[in-house]
Every structure is written in C-alpha cells, then in structure tokens.
Amino acid sequence: MPRVQSYTRRDGTRVRGHYRSRTRRPRLRRSYTRRRRGGNPASDRSGWWPAGVAGALVLGWLVVDFVQRHPVWALVIGVGLAAAGAGILTLLVRARFREEADAAVRARHVEATDTMTGPEFERWVAALLSRSGFSRVTVCGGAADRGADITAVARDGCRVVVQCKRHSAANRVGSAVIQRFAGTCRSIHRGEICVIVTNGFFAAGDGLRLARELGIGLVDRSELGEWAYTGLPPASLGRG
C-alpha cells in the first residue's frame, strides 16, 4: 500500500511524495529428501534368499510329482540327461588330452624357446632333464644363484650343475660367461658334471678352448634341438 512522506529540498521547498512500501515476502524453503549413495547391499540381497529357497522347494515338489505321475518319462529323461552329461565330460577330457599332447609336441622343438623368458627357459630345460632320466631336478636360478640355474643327479649318481642362457640368434655366449661359471660350478656348487645350455650359440675363441680345458660341457642350439626331439642328452651330460 502507498504511503506519504514529505521532505524539504535544498531551495526550501516542501515536497510530499507517495511511496510504495517494499516488504519482502519470506522465501519458502523446499525440503528435499537426500538419496543414499550406494545403499546397503546386504539389505538389498536379504529379500532374495527366501524367494530362492521357496523356488527351489517348488521346483523339487514339481519334479517329485512328475516322477510319481510319469515314471517312464522320468526314467527316459534321466537317462538322456546322464548320456548328455557323459558326452560333454568326454569332450572336455579329450580336449584336455589334445592340449597336453600339443604342448608336448611343441616342447620337443627348440623353436619353442625363442619366445620364452629366462625363468621359462630354465623350467623347460629342467623338464627336459627329467624326461631324459635325471633325478632330483631342481630349478634354483635367481639373482643369487652364483651360476647354478638347475641342479640334478645323473643315473650314475654324479651331481649335475647346469647354467641356462636364453639368447637370440644374434647374441652369442662369450668366454666371460664360461669363466664365471667355471669358477663356481665345482668350488661352490660341488658339481661333477658342469654344463652351460643355450638356445643360441657360443662365440668362437678362447671360451671354447677354456671349456675344453676345464671340462665344462657346452650345449648349443643344434645339440639342444636334437636333445629335445630325441630325448637323448648330449655326451657332455652323459646318458642321464
């Protein structure tokens, strides 16, 4: 509602003016219900298990009722389900045997080592030793192995110490590796048969001469491939 207010100007004139009162209306706050984030999964799932139990009971009652009403059909269906289960199980077993046979065939070829890591190559050589008749085959390679990646026992009781070197075809095992292995294989690991096995080749030079003088067996890619295919270890390893 307008109201009258008078005031005096600077020149002394009295003036009356009409003004509308500005009253602020109180704002109505809307109440919002906050939603819970995530919720309680336990309370959400608590209502399912009674329904599941009831459903299982109803299903069991229906099966019993069907068997009592139609025993012949129940027998036929049971035999059919058993035959189907046996067929599926047979297929799974055959597939497993086929995979194992394929893995055994791949393991007999040295080309399988080209994509292996160092530890995988050690385990591959250890499996090859076991198949060749060596006993107590142990993979002990690691940061502190001091050159002994695999230890085993030959058929004649000799202790075998093997160092594995997985290399590419362009990277050859040099004389420094042979010298380090020669200094630890017998004095530290008490090896009687000491062999370095690589899926590559050894560098020609002093390393080969040193290996012959110290009695260190060297198995390169060609000998390793023949060993893996035939199962007969090289002469430097004896006959297992």
Side-chain angles (χ1 to χ4, degrees):
M1 185 173 182
R3 59 188 178 86
V4 180
Q5 184 178 358
S6 60
Y7 64 93
T8 305
R9 294 178 178 177
R10 292 181 179 180
D11 56 0
T13 307
R14 190 77 175 174
V15 180
R16 300 178 63 186
H18 297 273
Y19 298 91
R20 185 177 297 275
S21 61
R22 297 178 180 179
T23 58
R24 295 182 179 179
R25 296 180 180 179
R27 294 182 180 180
L28 299 177
R29 295 183 178 180
R30 297 181 180 180
S31 60
Y32 297 93
T33 57
R34 296 182 178 179
R35 297 181 179 179
R36 293 182 178 180
R37 295 182 179 179
N40 189 359
S43 61
D44 295 339
R45 293 193 298 266
S46 61
W48 287 99
W49 71 268
V53 172
L57 293 175
V58 171
L59 181 61
W61 178 81
L62 291 175
V63 171
V64 172
D65 182 70
F66 180 81
V67 171
Q68 291 177 351
R69 291 175 179 270
H70 310 283
V72 177
W73 280 108
L75 179 61
V76 172
I77 294 174
V79 172
L81 292 176
I88 294 174
L89 182 61
T90 301
L91 292 177
L92 293 176
V93 171
R94 288 181 178 177
R96 180 65 179 273
F97 285 159
R98 191 179 300 110
E99 291 178 358
E100 292 179 354
D102 293 341
V105 171
R106 289 194 299 269
R108 292 177 58 185
H109 296 279
V110 71
E111 288 79 8
T113 63
D114 294 336
T115 57
M116 293 182 182
T117 61
E120 289 174 345
F121 181 60
E122 293 172 4
R123 291 191 293 270
W124 185 82
V125 174
L128 185 57
L129 285 166
S130 298
R131 291 198 305 269
S132 303
F134 292 83
S135 61
R136 297 166 59 182
V137 179
T138 304
V139 178
C140 50
D145 57 6
R146 294 186 179 181
D149 294 323
I150 303 171
T151 59
V153 176
R155 290 181 179 176
D156 57 1
C158 293
R159 179 175 172 83
V160 180
V161 178
V162 180
Q163 185 179 81
C164 300
K165 290 296 180 182
R166 199 210 69 82
H167 287 310
S168 61
N171 190 6
R172 295 178 179 268
V173 181
S175 60
V177 174
I178 300 174
Q179 291 176 7
R180 287 194 297 269
F181 182 63
T184 60
C185 65
R186 291 190 174 88
S187 61
I188 295 178
H189 303 294
R190 303 184 308 278
E192 298 173 280
I193 300 176
C194 302
V195 180
I196 300 177
V197 179
T198 180
N199 66 330
F201 296 94
F202 294 92
D206 295 337
L208 300 180
R209 179 182 55 80
L210 180 65
R212 286 192 299 267
E213 293 177 356
L214 298 178
I216 305 296
L218 302 180
V219 179
D220 61 4
R221 186 180 183 87
S222 59
E223 290 183 318
L224 182 61
E226 184 178 357
W227 178 18
Y229 187 77
T230 62
L232 298 176
S236 56
L237 276 166
R239 289 303 174 184

